[in-house]
């Protein structure tokens, strides 16, 4: 079970122990003789026969729409039956109670702060890209698109207590190339819908790629065609990712 370098040192020690005078003479005559011996041992040591230990990791994952549209905007009812502040805090506590390792959220808009309260310090979070408020009213009438995707990535904070030491990096966002449906047809064009990418280290160097997305609604033939294009866009991105790691979507 010796490490490769320790194994080589053991060979050198035994060699010098059994041939002490010869070893000393060779080293005294010139450093290159000793280095040649080291290179020879490196060349013929059974390093190729040492296999990497297989490491297996298990984890739980959940995709969750937290319905974070504002209940009202400019005095107008927008999402009156949504969870609101108290309900979003309850969602955060639910995630903590279940101990879910990886959570991909959609519609994390106006109550992100309440989600944070519910989660406490139990989760690492990705980038929150903002809320929907009166400043985005121009989007409702079709002038522009609100600069938020509503997506959120959560990774359970293990604090090294269970040996997982999970972490994430390489966060990126890609907008869908096609989108269809305004305020009365799914509101798909009102925000910058797309998908996010993350590399997740589950601990012990075991890594996976995670994609979090919010697709176009599919209520009309045109929207179904757009959703099909979005699936194709995602599939092409996944296929182009040839790093060999497992993919979680």
């Amino acid at each position: 079970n010796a490490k490769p370098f320790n194994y080589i040192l053991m060979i050198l020690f035994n060699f010098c122990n059994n041939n002490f005078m010869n070893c000393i003479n060779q080293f005294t005559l010139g450093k290159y003789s000793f280095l040649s011996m080291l290179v020879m041992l490196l060349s013929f040591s059974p390093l190729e026969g040492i296999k990497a230990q297989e490491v297996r990791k298990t984890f739980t994952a959940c995709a969750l729409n937290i319905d974070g549209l504002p209940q009202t905007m400019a005095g107008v009812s927008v999402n009156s039956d949504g969870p609101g502040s108290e309900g979003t805090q309850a969602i955060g506590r639910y995630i903590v109670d279940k101990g879910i390792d990886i959570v991909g959220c959609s519609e994390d808009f106006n109550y992100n702060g309440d989600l944070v309260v519910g989660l406490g310090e139990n989760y690492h979070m990705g980038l929150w890209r903002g809320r929907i408020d009166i400043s985005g009213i121009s989007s409702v009438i079709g002038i522009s698109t609100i600069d938020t995707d509503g997506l959120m990535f959560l990774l359970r904070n293990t604090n090294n207590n269970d040996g997982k030491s999970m972490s994430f990096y390489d966060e990126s966002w890609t907008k869908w190339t096609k989108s269809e449906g305004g305020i009365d047809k799914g509101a798909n064009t009102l925000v910058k819908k797309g998908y996010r990418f993350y590399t997740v280290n589950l601990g012990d160097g075991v890594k996976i790629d995670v994609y979090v997305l919010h697709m176009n609604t599919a209520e009309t033939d045109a929207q179904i065609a757009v959703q099909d294009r979005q699936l194709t866009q995602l599939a092409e991105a996944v296929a182009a990712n040839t790093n060999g790691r497992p993919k979680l979507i």
Side-chain angles (χ1 to χ4, degrees):
N1 294 327
K3 299 292 184 181
F5 186 71
N6 292 338
Y7 185 75
I8 294 169
L9 291 180
M10 289 167 59
I11 296 175
L12 288 173
F13 177 80
N14 291 330
F15 180 87
C16 290
N17 192 41
N18 296 329
N19 303 274
F20 181 76
M21 290 306 298
N22 183 54
C23 182
I24 293 298
N25 290 335
Q26 288 291 326
F27 186 78
T28 303
L29 289 173
K31 61 181 179 180
Y32 297 107
S33 298
F34 183 79
L35 290 174
S36 298
M37 177 185 68
L38 176 60
V39 170
M40 179 182 68
L41 290 172
L42 283 169
S43 300
F44 292 96
S45 61
L47 295 180
E48 294 183 358
I50 300 175
K51 295 183 179 180
Q53 182 180 1
E54 184 180 74
V55 179
R56 292 181 177 270
K57 289 287 182 180
T58 59
F59 63 94
T60 55
C62 175
L64 182 62
N65 186 319
I66 62 176
D67 195 13
L69 287 169
Q71 292 183 317
T72 62
M73 188 168 64
V76 178
S77 178
V78 176
N79 188 30
S80 59
D81 59 349
S85 177
E86 293 184 5
T88 305
Q89 290 184 32
I91 291 173
R93 292 193 296 270
Y94 173 85
I95 294 172
V96 173
D97 291 341
K98 291 297 182 180
I100 306 168
D101 292 317
I102 299 172
V103 184
C105 297
S106 57
E107 294 193 13
D108 181 20
F109 294 122
N110 287 41
Y111 302 100
N112 177 265
D114 295 294
L115 180 64
V116 172
V117 170
L119 293 171
E121 297 182 354
N122 298 287
Y123 281 82
H124 303 295
M125 303 182 71
L127 175 68
W128 178 59
R129 293 194 60 200
R131 59 191 292 115
I132 296 175
D133 54 26
I134 192 63
S135 64
I137 197 68
S138 59
S139 298
V140 175
I141 60 177
I143 297 175
S144 62
T145 302
I146 301 173
D147 190 17
T148 179
D149 61 357
L151 297 176
M152 176 52 65
F153 175 79
L154 305 176
L155 182 68
R156 189 165 66 88
N157 182 6
T158 57
N159 288 323
N160 299 323
N161 290 331
D162 56 8
K164 285 188 176 181
S165 305
M166 295 190 296
S167 60
F168 72 90
Y169 51 96
D170 289 341
E171 181 180 54
S172 64
W173 172 77
T174 302
K175 185 180 178 180
W176 298 125
T177 57
K178 298 290 184 180
S179 187
E180 173 71 28
I183 187 64
D184 59 338
K185 295 181 180 179
N188 299 291
T189 60
L190 304 188
V191 298
K192 295 182 178 180
K193 285 187 177 182
Y195 67 86
R196 293 192 188 186
F197 171 84
Y198 298 86
T199 298
V200 177
N201 187 338
L202 296 174
D204 299 320
V206 179
K207 299 177 182 178
I208 63 173
D209 294 337
V210 178
Y211 296 81
V212 181
L213 55 141
H214 193 182
M215 299 184 65
N216 207 102
T217 55
E219 301 172 2
T220 67
D221 289 343
Q223 289 180 337
I224 292 173
V226 166
Q227 193 177 81
D228 181 68
R229 180 65 192 92
Q230 291 175 352
L231 285 170
T232 299
Q233 181 183 347
L234 178 65
E236 290 173 348
V238 172
N241 184 352
T242 57
N243 59 27
R245 293 193 291 259
K247 272 61 176 169
L248 173 65
I249 300 172

